[in-house]
Amino acid sequence: MIFLPLIGNRVLIFEIDDIKKLREVGIVGVLSGTLPKAPQQNVFLGVPLQLSIYEVLWLIDNGHAKLIDSKAYHKMLMEGSTPQQINEGNKVRLAGPSNSHYVITPNTSPNKLDLDMNSFEVSRDEYLMRQPILHENFAKKYNAFSKLRSMGHYLMPGLRFGGTFVSYPGDPLRFHSHLIVKCVKPDEEVNLIDLVTGGRLATAVKKAWVLVSEEPTRDDSIDAYSIEWAGFG
């Protein structure tokens, strides 16, 4: 079981071992950590790993993980430890010259008190209530995510390609993405301009543009249509 620390309304994973476990079940997330002296760079990012709301819900619904209240957990951890234990456990030290404001902390936060993690569990409903805004089409997007994940696809955000998700046939470190997935409503009209631009863009970057929609007459079923632009790219 993987415990997902909920910080505010976001799930941020700092534990390297947990990141490995998430990758083993097909959840990639997005690295969001950066160096204090280079806060503007966004290429070589590190921990923490931020999970999307779709990834979090899929992990919970499939029994791979539980949400825990990170603030309550660390408060209990601090209250039950002596200052010496806290100092030895975290091993926080200044980095660089003595007047530096940066600190180095370990990648792991050992649970020296053997606390029952289940006592800090946050329910699925409470997690959704913490989200500032949920798109009206959110449930349909999540169903599409779940369906594709159950088929073995690895999914990452597809905004930069004009889609909802970008789909990989395996781990993104080993495979090139094959699909740009765009979720639409069953009765939504697809503008001809969008059809042309989406198809040409996908073909130019050697992908297929896939329109995914729920089938209104069948529960938990989706229809998918792939579009490729012949003679282009």
Side-chain angles (χ1 to χ4, degrees), residues 22-50:
L22 290 172
R23 201 128 194 151
E24 290 173 358
V25 297
I27 296 299
V28 180
V30 176
L31 290 170
S32 58
T34 187
L35 298 173
K37 294 184 179 180
Q40 299 301 316
Q41 72 89 17
N42 58 4
V43 178
F44 301 105
L45 298 177
V47 293
L49 182 79
Q50 182 171 338

Side-chain angles (χ1 to χ4, degrees), residues 167-186:
S167 174
Y168 297 76
D171 193 308
L173 291 177
R174 300 177 58 193
F175 296 90
H176 181 75
S177 58
H178 286 189
L179 308 175
I180 299 175
V181 181
K182 183 175 178 62
C183 298
V184 296
K185 299 178 182 178

Side-chain angles (χ1 to χ4, degrees), residues 6 67-74 120-122 126 130:
L6 180 60
L67 283 167
I68 63 167
D69 189 328
S70 181
K71 181 179 179 180
Y73 165 69
H74 282 91
F120 304 99
E121 185 176 356
V122 176
E126 183 179 347
R130 291 196 187 189

Side-chain angles (χ1 to χ4, degrees), residues 161-162 182 184 188-202 209 211 227 229:
F161 293 111
K182 183 175 178 62
V184 296
E188 182 178 346
E189 294 184 1
V190 180
N191 191 295
L192 183 58
I193 295 297
D194 294 336
L195 192 67
V196 173
T197 55
R200 291 183 61 167
L201 171 63
W209 195 45
L211 296 176
I227 297 172
W229 204 259

